[in-house]
């Protein structure tokens, strides 16, 4: 298929662009295979370059011979194009609809994108499982790398190489995979160097109504326990939902077969409930009534902050079991691809200082989301404005990023990256020139040959002239465990995502620059104060007369 077949009118002059908190801009609108471009040809006027894949929905309205196309984007901005001529407007609208809903992944922009910067690092090879295992091997010899899934025959949603207990052979892993939904047998998620405890993740066991058991599964899970220690199984479903799953062939671990493990149910919502929550939240943020009571009521009714509280609470529980109880943890829900990954990722943010660095966080996203089989292509197919509601769409990754932002806000000096970094990951998960978030798992990515045909997001982010934009000026390495508050008053709306198009970006940029200047001044002042204190201490040592203030 040629893109030209979908473009009925490639160019229209005298188009007016309307955006909140921006002056109206007039110019020429052009449609390419992947972009909507408006060029004003005016000094100091920013051009609009919008990826078709970023478009969530469009609406048409006609007044006389002119038409207005309202474009609602996956990054939550809303823009309007005022076009003279009904035919031109209809042609542009139908072209945008066709180009923004392409079925084939290989027709998307990442396969056509050619970087304008020198690629000094291949982001596709920045975080291989072998690298994580090498670091683990320096701490313990209880684990091994298994290539039982090298041809994706055991589990299509897992990576080809996995870290498993050393005492469990590949044949046992195959039997355990047959006992777990989708073949997602328990694998290592995190090793806590402080006490040697571990966190594993998997999907639900297929116990069914007959209480089916798998001795290899029991052996694998018990292999993670130290002598005399107990473990915790954190099920991200309510007990009622888990019991209902048994009737469909799923279920949960029976206490009789896992006596050294205590099962805890923590309900975390998924799928359409989260998608509806996002839709209600964005609707509240776009409310122009300026009625505070109504706005707060809508915000509460969306339940978005309630979901954040549930996820953070469960992540804190997992971290507490590992760090304070000295117990190993297994986390799973049904498929182990959504709420499970939210919990394991956030628990590592809490426990592991490396995960709070830029490259450490990238490694976390790579290991716990991309290599762990979170179906980005399905979950991020649409955003809050789409008219089509597919059951597999859900803002799972956005909720995770929001939870990270909540912790970042509570511990502003403990993270090397800033809010801009998190917003960038949100944007690229939904629409990007990079191939990192394409596909639903490693199997699909290998079939698409993304490593050979597209560029990794990390290749761009880790450039020195880009990475400084994502660096937190307040950062001071903190080697301690951090415990976020989940009290209602501690959780706030992430304005940087949900309100950023509803306020002046110029004001925010100025405010950010001013904040950076203040931070730099305070750091310089602190250096001078510390130098004076040292001088006073030296004088006190010399004559024993001075008192340090």
């Amino acid at each position: 298929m040629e893109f030209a077949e979908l473009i009925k009118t490639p160019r229209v002059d005298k188009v007016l662009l309307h955006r909140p908190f921006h002056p109206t801009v007039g110019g020429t609108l052009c449609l390419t295979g992947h972009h909507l471009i408006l060029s004003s040809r005016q000094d100091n006027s920013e051009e609009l370059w919008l990826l078709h894949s970023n478009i969530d929905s469009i609406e048409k309205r006609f007044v006389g011979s002119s038409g207005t196309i309202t474009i609602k984007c996956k990054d939550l901005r809303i823009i309007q194009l005022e076009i003279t001529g009904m035919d031109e407007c209809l042609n542009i609208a139908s072209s945008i609809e066709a180009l923004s809903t392409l079925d084939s992944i290989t027709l998307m922009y990442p396969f056509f994108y050619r970087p304008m910067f020198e690629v000094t690092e291949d982001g596709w090879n920045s975080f291989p499982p072998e690298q994580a295992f090498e670091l683990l091997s320096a701490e313990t010899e209880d684990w091994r790398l298994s290539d039982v899934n090298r041809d994706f025959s055991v589990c299509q949603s897992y990576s080809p190489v996995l870290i498993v207990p050393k005492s469990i052979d590949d044949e046992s892993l195959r039997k355990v995979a047959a006992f777990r939904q989708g073949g997602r047998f328990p694998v290592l998620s995190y090793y806590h160097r402080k006490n040697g405890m571990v966190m594993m993740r998997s999907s639900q066991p297929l116990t069914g109504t007959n209480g089916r058991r798998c001795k290899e599964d029991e052996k694998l899970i018990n292999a993670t326990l130290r002598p005399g220690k107990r473990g915790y199984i954190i099920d991200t479903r309510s007990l009622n939902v888990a019991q209902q799953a048994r009737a469909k062939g799923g279920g949960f671990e029976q206490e009789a077969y896992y006596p050294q493990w205590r099962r805890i149910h923590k309900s975390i919502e998924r799928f359409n409930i989260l998608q509806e929550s996002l839709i209600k939240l964005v609707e509240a943020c776009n409310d122009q009534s300026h009625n505070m009571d109504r706005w707060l009521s809508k915000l509460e009714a969306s339940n978005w902050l309630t979901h954040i509280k549930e996820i953070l609470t469960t992540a804190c529980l997992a971290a507490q079991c590992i760090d304070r109880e000295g117990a190993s943890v297994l986390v799973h829900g049904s498929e182990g691809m959504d709420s499970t990954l939210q919990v394991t990722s956030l628990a590592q943010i809490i426990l592991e200082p490396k995960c709070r660095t830029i490259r450490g966080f990238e490694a976390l996203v790579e290991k716990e989301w991309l290599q762990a089989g979170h179906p980005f292509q399905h979950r991020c197919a649409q955003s809050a404005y789409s008219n089509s509601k597919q059951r597999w769409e859900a803002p799972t990754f956005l909720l995770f990023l929001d939870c990270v932002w909540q912790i970042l806000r509570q511990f502003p000096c403990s993270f090397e990256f800033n809010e801009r970094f998190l917003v960038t990951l949100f944007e690229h998960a939904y629409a990007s020139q990079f191939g990192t978030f394409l596909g639903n798992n490693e199997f699909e990515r290998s079939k698409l040959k993304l490593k050979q045909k597209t560029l990794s997001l990390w290749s761009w982010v880790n450039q020195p002239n880009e990475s400084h934009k994502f660096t937190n000026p307040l950062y001071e390495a903190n080697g301690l465990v951090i415990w976020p508050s989940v009290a209602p008053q501690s959780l706030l709306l992430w304005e940087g995502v949900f309100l950023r198009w509803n306020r002046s970006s110029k004001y925010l940029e100025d405010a950010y620059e001013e904040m950076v200047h203040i931070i730099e001044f305070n750091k310089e002042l602190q250096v001078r104060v510390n130098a004076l204190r040292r001088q006073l201490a030296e004088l006190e040592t010399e004559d024993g007369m001075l008192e340090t203030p």
Side-chain angles (χ1 to χ4, degrees):
M1 185 201 74
E2 295 290 337
F3 290 115
E5 299 174 12
L6 303 177
I7 303 175
K8 297 180 180 179
T9 300
R11 171 174 168 166
V12 180
D13 293 320
K14 298 180 181 179
V15 174
L16 296 180
L17 170 66
H18 302 280
R19 293 174 293 180
F21 296 100
H22 287 79
T24 299
V25 176
T28 300
L29 180 70
C30 297
L31 290 184
T32 71
H34 296 103
H35 287 89
L36 181 154
I37 306 167
L38 188 131
S39 177
S40 65
R41 298 178 182 173
Q42 298 175 7
D43 293 338
N44 302 319
S45 182
E46 183 182 349
E47 286 188 329
L48 174 70
W49 284 68
L50 181 67
L51 273 172
H52 295 314
S53 58
N54 193 9
I55 296 173
D56 212 25
S57 71
I58 69 168
E59 299 170 2
K60 303 179 290 290
R61 183 170 56 87
F62 295 96
V63 178
S65 61
S66 296
T68 299
I69 300 176
T70 300
I71 299 176
K72 298 182 178 181
C73 304
K74 294 175 184 176
D75 61 9
L76 306 184
R77 64 179 142 165
I78 299 176
I79 61 176
Q80 289 185 330
L81 299 172
E82 190 176 322
I83 302 173
T84 303
M86 185 176 294
D87 290 341
E88 286 81 359
C89 186
L90 285 172
N91 286 343
I92 292 292
S94 63
S95 298
I96 293 173
E97 285 178 337
L99 291 166
S100 62
T101 56
L102 296 174
D103 292 330
S104 175
I105 295 179
T106 57
L107 293 176
M108 293 185 173
Y109 187 48
F111 286 91
F112 298 82
Y113 172 68
R114 296 297 176 265
M116 300 296 289
F117 59 92
E118 182 183 358
V119 180
T120 57
E121 176 185 343
D122 182 5
W124 289 114
N125 297 314
S126 294
F127 308 106
E130 292 83 359
Q131 186 182 74
F133 179 70
E134 187 177 337
L135 295 173
L136 175 67
S137 298
E139 302 289 339
T140 176
E141 298 180 350
D142 296 337
W143 300 81
R144 70 180 180 92
L145 272 180
S146 171
D147 63 352
V148 67
N149 196 44
R150 58 186 175 275
D151 55 358
F152 300 101
S153 59
V154 175
C155 178
Q156 289 192 354
S157 61
Y158 270 173
S159 60
V161 180
L162 300 158
I163 302 177
V164 298
K166 198 172 187 176
S167 58
I168 307 299
D169 59 32
D170 285 353
E171 186 55 38
S172 296
L173 292 178
R174 291 187 180 90
K175 292 179 180 179
V176 178
F179 180 67
R180 294 274 172 175
Q181 182 163 334
R184 294 175 66 87
F185 57 86
V187 297
L188 181 69
S189 176
Y190 172 68
Y191 177 85
H192 197 43
R193 289 174 294 171
K194 175 182 173 182
N195 57 15
M197 296 300 107
V198 300
M199 177 166 57
M200 302 186 76
R201 50 175 161 75
S202 70
S203 61
Q204 66 177 341
L206 302 177
T207 57
T209 54
N210 295 326
R212 179 186 170 209
R213 67 182 292 193
C214 174
K215 293 183 179 180
E216 288 81 7
D217 187 81
E218 297 160 20
K219 182 181 177 182
L220 190 160
I221 294 177
N222 286 330
T224 67
L225 294 178
R226 294 289 179 87
K229 292 285 187 178
R230 291 177 57 85
Y232 291 89
I233 298 174
I234 298 179
D235 194 323
T236 60
R237 305 165 294 179
S238 67
L239 177 58
N240 185 44
V241 170
Q243 288 174 334
Q244 290 175 3
R246 294 176 64 183
K248 300 177 182 178
F252 47 85
E253 294 80 2
Q254 301 294 314
E255 293 179 6
Y257 304 141
Y258 301 85
Q260 293 174 276
W261 294 80
R262 178 189 171 193
R263 194 177 70 251
I264 304 174
H265 290 273
K266 301 292 289 184
S267 178
I268 297 177
E269 300 292 356
R270 297 176 301 146
F271 300 131
N272 62 308
I273 293 177
L274 297 184
Q275 191 71 3
E276 288 297 327
S277 180
L278 176 63
I279 292 169
K280 291 179 181 179
L281 173 64
V282 173
E283 180 185 338
C285 293
N286 290 335
D287 190 342
Q288 301 296 320
S289 66
H290 304 294
N291 184 312
M292 182 58 70
D293 289 339
R294 175 178 170 178
W295 187 83
L296 290 173
S297 177
K298 280 190 169 185
L299 176 62
E300 184 178 4
S302 74
N303 285 324
W304 185 263
L305 293 178
T306 302
H307 299 318
I308 289 174
K309 176 181 170 60
E310 291 170 349
I311 297 166
L312 278 175
T313 300
T314 309
C316 287
L317 172 64
Q320 185 176 5
C321 290
I322 293 169
D323 185 71
R324 294 185 175 177
E325 298 290 328
S328 290
V329 171
L330 170 65
V331 184
H332 73 71
S334 296
E335 297 86 1
M337 292 190 253
D338 291 276
S339 55
T340 297
L341 306 184
Q342 290 173 329
V343 172
T344 58
S345 301
L346 289 167
Q348 290 176 64
I349 292 284
I350 293 168
L351 294 169
E352 180 54 59
K354 285 183 181 178
C355 294
R356 300 172 218 147
T357 65
I358 292 177
R359 295 189 72 90
F361 191 79
E362 291 170 2
L364 182 70
V365 171
E366 190 73 35
K367 175 173 67 77
E368 291 297 299
W369 291 86
L370 293 161
Q371 296 173 9
H374 177 67
F376 279 97
Q377 200 71 37
H378 281 161
R379 299 292 183 267
C380 301
Q382 304 293 339
S383 186
Y385 297 122
S386 173
N387 296 319
S388 64
K389 306 291 190 300
Q390 302 293 339
R391 63 170 295 276
W392 56 71
E393 293 165 7
T396 309
F397 187 63
L398 174 56
L399 263 169
F400 160 67
L401 294 176
D402 199 331
C403 290
V404 176
W405 176 78
Q406 302 286 345
I407 305 175
L408 168 61
R409 192 186 59 79
Q410 294 182 28
F411 297 89
C413 299
S414 296
F415 288 80
E416 185 186 19
F417 54 84
N418 56 22
E419 178 185 20
R420 184 174 183 174
F421 182 59
L422 299 175
V423 174
T424 298
L425 293 183
F426 153 63
E427 292 176 336
H428 284 275
Y430 280 87
S432 178
Q433 67 268 44
F434 304 105
T436 300
F437 294 108
L438 289 182
N440 289 309
N441 49 57
E442 291 288 274
F443 175 64
E444 288 189 11
R445 294 186 190 101
S446 66
K447 285 178 62 179
L448 292 167
K449 297 182 178 179
L450 293 184
K451 291 184 179 182
Q452 294 80 27
K453 296 183 177 181
T454 71
L455 193 68
S456 168
L457 173 64
W458 314 131
S459 297
W460 171 68
V461 168
N462 291 331
Q463 294 180 98
N465 61 336
E466 292 295 337
S467 61
H468 80 277
K469 299 175 185 176
F470 306 122
T471 302
N472 175 13
L474 289 174
Y475 176 63
E476 292 183 8
N478 176 7
L480 303 175
V481 174
I482 56 176
W483 298 102
S485 169
V486 295
Q489 63 269 24
S490 299
L491 303 178
L492 301 180
L493 176 67
W494 190 4
E495 296 182 19
V497 165
F498 299 110
L499 293 179
R500 64 174 169 154
W501 306 113
N502 297 339
R503 53 191 181 178
S504 173
S505 59
K506 182 66 172 67
Y507 168 79
L508 292 174
E509 288 172 6
D510 291 345
Y512 179 76
E513 291 296 330
E514 183 66 24
M515 183 194 74
V516 170
H517 289 320
I518 292 172
I519 291 167
E520 290 175 348
F521 173 77
N522 286 341
K523 281 191 171 183
E524 184 179 343
L525 187 62
Q526 188 63 50
V527 169
R528 293 179 180 179
V529 169
N530 290 339
L532 286 172
R533 286 183 181 276
R534 284 195 297 271
Q535 291 176 9
L536 288 170
E538 289 171 0
L539 289 171
E540 182 183 28
T541 303
E542 289 176 3
D543 57 22
M545 296 292 291
L546 290 175
E547 293 183 1
T548 304

